[in-house]
């Protein structure tokens, strides 16, 4: 089975790599120390602290494995090769919401980098999907659970 390629910005790749390094060098040794401390407290068959520490270690190892898999399948996007005339991944899009008259700016990013507070919209969201391939000046209608939204694309940049 072929693995899914995950597209990331250089910043997103570095952030994931730093998080993985932190888990390996800080959290993993701390977890081992917690298990050793719990083991020193006596009978393991009745030691809830030991069981909890082992379970936490298992969850941490699972997170590390998942992140290693993500990084192994990641491809860093070359921003110099992005077509600025239409909306695509890494495009910074300024929109006019016709429903409320407000202007919003989103950067279309991979799922792993999405953060709405930072204006980073995941490529798999209904709004991002509707914007992909569109050009400046176009009006886009998006069906969302709350109803239909109408946006006009005011600007596209990187």
């Amino acid at each position: 089975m072929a693995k899914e390629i995950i597209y990331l910005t250089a910043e997103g790749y570095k952030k994931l790599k730093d998080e993985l390094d932190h888990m390996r060098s800080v959290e993993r040794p701390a977890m081992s120390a917690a298990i050793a401390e719990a083991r020193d407290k006596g009978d393991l068959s009745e030691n809830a602290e030991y069981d909890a520490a082992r379970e936490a270690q298992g969850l941490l190892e699972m997170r590390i494995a998942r992140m290693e898999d993500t990084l192994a399948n990641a491809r860093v996007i070359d921003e110099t090769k992005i077509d600025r005339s239409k909306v695509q991944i890494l495009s910074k899009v300024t929109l006019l919401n016709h429903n409320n008259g407000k202007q919003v700016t989103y950067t279309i990013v991979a799922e792993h980098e999405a953060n709405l507070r930072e204006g980073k919209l995941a490529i798999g969201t209904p709004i991002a999907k509707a914007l992909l391939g569109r050009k400046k000046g176009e009006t886009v209608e998006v069906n969302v659970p709350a109803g239909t939204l109408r946006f006009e694309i005011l600007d596209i940049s990187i």
Side-chain angles (χ1 to χ4, degrees):
M1 180 166 108
K3 293 283 185 173
E4 178 185 349
I5 295 175
I6 299 162
Y7 295 98
L8 297 171
T9 62
E11 174 190 343
Y13 185 86
K14 183 182 180 330
K15 187 176 177 182
L16 281 178
K17 186 119 176 63
D18 290 347
E19 187 178 343
L20 177 61
D21 291 342
H22 176 78
M23 284 192 285
R24 286 177 176 161
S25 63
V26 176
E27 293 181 38
R28 188 182 268 165
M31 197 61 61
S32 294
I35 290 171
E37 183 180 322
R39 187 179 13 230
D40 290 342
K41 293 189 177 177
D43 185 12
L44 297 181
S45 64
E46 296 179 13
N47 190 333
E49 190 176 332
Y50 176 78
D51 292 338
R54 291 286 295 170
E55 185 175 333
Q57 181 188 37
L59 292 173
L60 175 65
E61 292 301 326
M62 189 170 58
R63 282 180 46 219
I64 288 172
R66 230 184 256 141
M67 194 162 294
E68 287 172 339
D69 189 49
T70 297
L71 289 172
N73 294 303
R75 302 294 178 267
V76 177
I77 299 167
D78 183 356
E79 294 181 28
T80 62
K81 295 182 179 175
I82 293 176
D83 180 3
R84 290 169 164 74
S85 68
K86 60 184 177 183
V87 178
Q88 54 189 337
I89 194 163
L90 287 192
S91 293
K92 187 173 189 174
V93 186
T94 302
L95 306 168
L96 174 63
N97 184 334
H98 286 281
N99 296 54
N100 62 16
K102 292 185 179 178
Q103 191 171 310
V104 293
T105 302
Y106 296 119
T107 302
I108 311 297
V109 297
E111 303 291 336
H112 292 82
E113 296 182 65
N115 185 337
L116 209 49
R117 290 183 188 182
E118 295 176 7
K120 294 181 178 181
L121 190 64
I123 199 163
T125 61
I127 294 173
K129 284 180 181 179
L131 292 172
L132 289 176
R134 301 299 186 108
K135 297 183 179 207
K136 182 177 177 177
E138 287 189 49
T139 299
V140 180
E141 288 192 8
V142 183
N143 292 319
V144 294
T148 301
L149 300 175
R150 284 178 39 103
F151 294 105
E152 180 180 345
I153 300 172
L154 300 177
D155 190 39
I156 302 169
S157 62
I158 298 296

